[in-house]
Amino acid sequence: MAWMEQSWAQLVGLFGSQAWILMVCGILLVTLLIDVVQRSVLRRLHYHLLKAHKVWIDSFVDAARAPFSFFIWLNGSFLALTTVILQFQLFVDSLAWIQSLKSTVLTLSFGWFVIRLVQRLELHLKEYARETERLDQVTVEAFAKIIKLVAFVVTILFFLNAFGVSLTGLLAFGGVGGIAVGFAAKDLLGNLFGGLMLYMDKPFTVGDWIRSPDKEIEGTVEHIGWRMTTVRTFDKRPLYIPNGIFSNIAIENPSRMTNRRIKETIGIRYADVHKMHAITTAVKEMLRAHPEIDVNQTMIVNFNQFGPSSLDFFIYTFTKTTEWIRFHEIKEDVLLKVAEIIEAEGAEIAFPTRTLHLFNETEQQSLSPNAK
């Protein structure tokens, strides 16, 4: 330690009246060394935790890297700036302002750290949500947005308080101003609260197919924001819907259906009326034996009505799959099997026909009211 004191004394003597330059350079050099050391330590720890697959602990380490560096450099810069001001006695009145700003450095750094930490935890929680049904990505995103918003607001309030702004007066002004803003921006607030309700009630999530019987809305949900939701229609056009609309319309979510329904009416000729019972029985047996038909759901195969040109029976059953393409493949297979059953019973599928009766002259005279 003695050699350091001696070296410092020699440097001060060398600079003489310009020793303040040495002070400023020394402060910045120490700041640089501290920053380099902390960056090296946190970087090594970050890589070590990633290799060990400890992503949750690594989120704290990785989130602290930039805010910690910001905290070190801002404090070092303020100390160097204070040294220069005291040396030249210029802008001395600004020292109080600098001290106030310096006292908020920790608050700003911590707020930045919280926002970065939430972003990293959000990514890991979304990956976890893809692997489990106990958590969904929309809920994770909603909580992340709320925490980041709270961290931002609290940081700003502490920042203003450091410069003499009364938090009590600010909150009171915010209450009065909030009423005025509420009237002026009721649609915007309605959309914000609508977005909050979507996150809480979760009538749909990103990736769901939704449609509304009240509005011309149908497509796949791409993004749920605070103000609007983006839906990609089936012709690939983006549809931007203000969240407030969802509070006033009914929303259907076909993505959450448990089964898909097959509901078809098939007609046979009137000449095959005596074969109807055998056909409906065979169709019902075929459906019960079909590996893709859910026999635990409602299944109806019955003669339904005397049509204008056919005897109609209907099929009402449900498939096990909800996938759109696979459903149509199963439906095609079922209908082809029904056609085979009708053919095997010696009947035919009816098509629209008309019967035209022609009367000869003798029949017309017999039916005439003047005939004797």
Side-chain angles (χ1 to χ4, degrees), residues 35-244:
D35 185 48
V36 169
V37 171
Q38 71 88 16
R39 282 176 179 269
S40 178
V41 172
L42 291 182
R43 183 172 59 253
R44 290 177 180 274
L45 184 58
H46 169 62
Y47 291 143
H48 174 74
L49 292 173
L50 285 181
K51 289 182 180 179
H53 302 289
K54 297 179 179 180
V55 294
W56 304 106
I57 301 177
D58 176 64
S59 297
F60 289 85
V61 175
D62 191 34
R65 293 166 66 184
F68 197 16
S69 182
F70 170 78
F71 176 78
I72 292 172
W73 273 106
L74 212 55
N75 274 283
S77 300
F78 283 153
L79 186 58
L81 182 60
T82 302
T83 302
V84 173
I85 291 175
L86 292 176
Q87 172 65 30
F88 292 97
Q89 293 296 309
L90 295 175
F91 306 106
V92 178
D93 294 339
S94 65
L95 286 177
W97 183 85
I98 293 175
Q99 291 300 321
S100 298
L101 184 59
K102 185 179 177 180
S103 65
T104 65
V105 171
L106 180 60
T107 302
L108 292 173
S109 301
F110 184 75
W112 189 12
F113 165 74
V114 171
I115 293 174
R116 285 170 56 88
L117 175 62
V118 171
Q119 289 174 340
R120 283 151 180 77
L121 291 177
E122 179 183 0
L123 291 176
H124 297 319
L125 285 172
K126 283 184 176 180
E127 292 179 0
Y128 176 72
R130 296 189 190 103
E131 302 172 358
T132 181
E133 296 181 354
R134 292 180 296 177
L135 192 66
D136 64 90
Q137 298 185 48
V138 176
T139 303
V140 172
E141 185 176 350
F143 277 108
K145 287 182 178 179
I146 292 173
I147 294 174
K148 284 188 283 188
L149 179 62
V150 170
F152 177 78
V153 171
V154 171
T155 302
I156 294 298
L157 290 177
F158 275 101
F159 182 80
L160 294 175
N161 185 58
F163 290 94
V165 179
S166 174
L167 292 183
T168 304
L170 186 64
L171 293 175
F173 174 77
V176 176
I179 298 175
V181 172
F183 282 109
K186 59 179 181 179
D187 291 336
L188 177 61
L189 293 176
N191 292 330
L192 293 176
F193 282 108
L196 181 60
M197 291 301 102
L198 290 180
Y199 283 121
M200 294 179 63
D201 296 338
K202 293 183 290 188
F204 52 81
T205 59
V206 174
D208 282 358
W209 163 27
I210 65 169
R211 62 186 176 195
S212 172
D214 303 326
K215 297 282 186 179
E216 294 183 3
I217 297 174
E218 184 170 13
T220 304
V221 179
E222 284 193 342
H223 176 70
I224 303 175
W226 280 115
R227 196 180 71 83
M228 66 172 54
T229 295
T230 304
V231 174
R232 181 73 60 175
T233 62
F234 293 129
D235 57 0
K236 300 305 179 182
R237 292 180 299 170
L239 185 63
Y240 303 100
I241 309 166
N243 290 332

Side-chain angles (χ1 to χ4, degrees), residues 209 234 236 254 257 260 262 290 292 319-334:
W209 163 27
F234 293 129
K236 300 305 179 182
M257 64 175 67
R260 285 190 179 272
I262 297 177
H290 200 291
E292 297 294 338
T319 63
K320 293 179 180 179
T321 184
T322 59
E323 184 184 348
W324 181 244
I325 297 176
R326 180 58 182 156
F327 163 75
H328 282 286
E329 292 174 350
I330 297 169
K331 183 178 178 180
E332 177 187 26
D333 182 63
V334 168

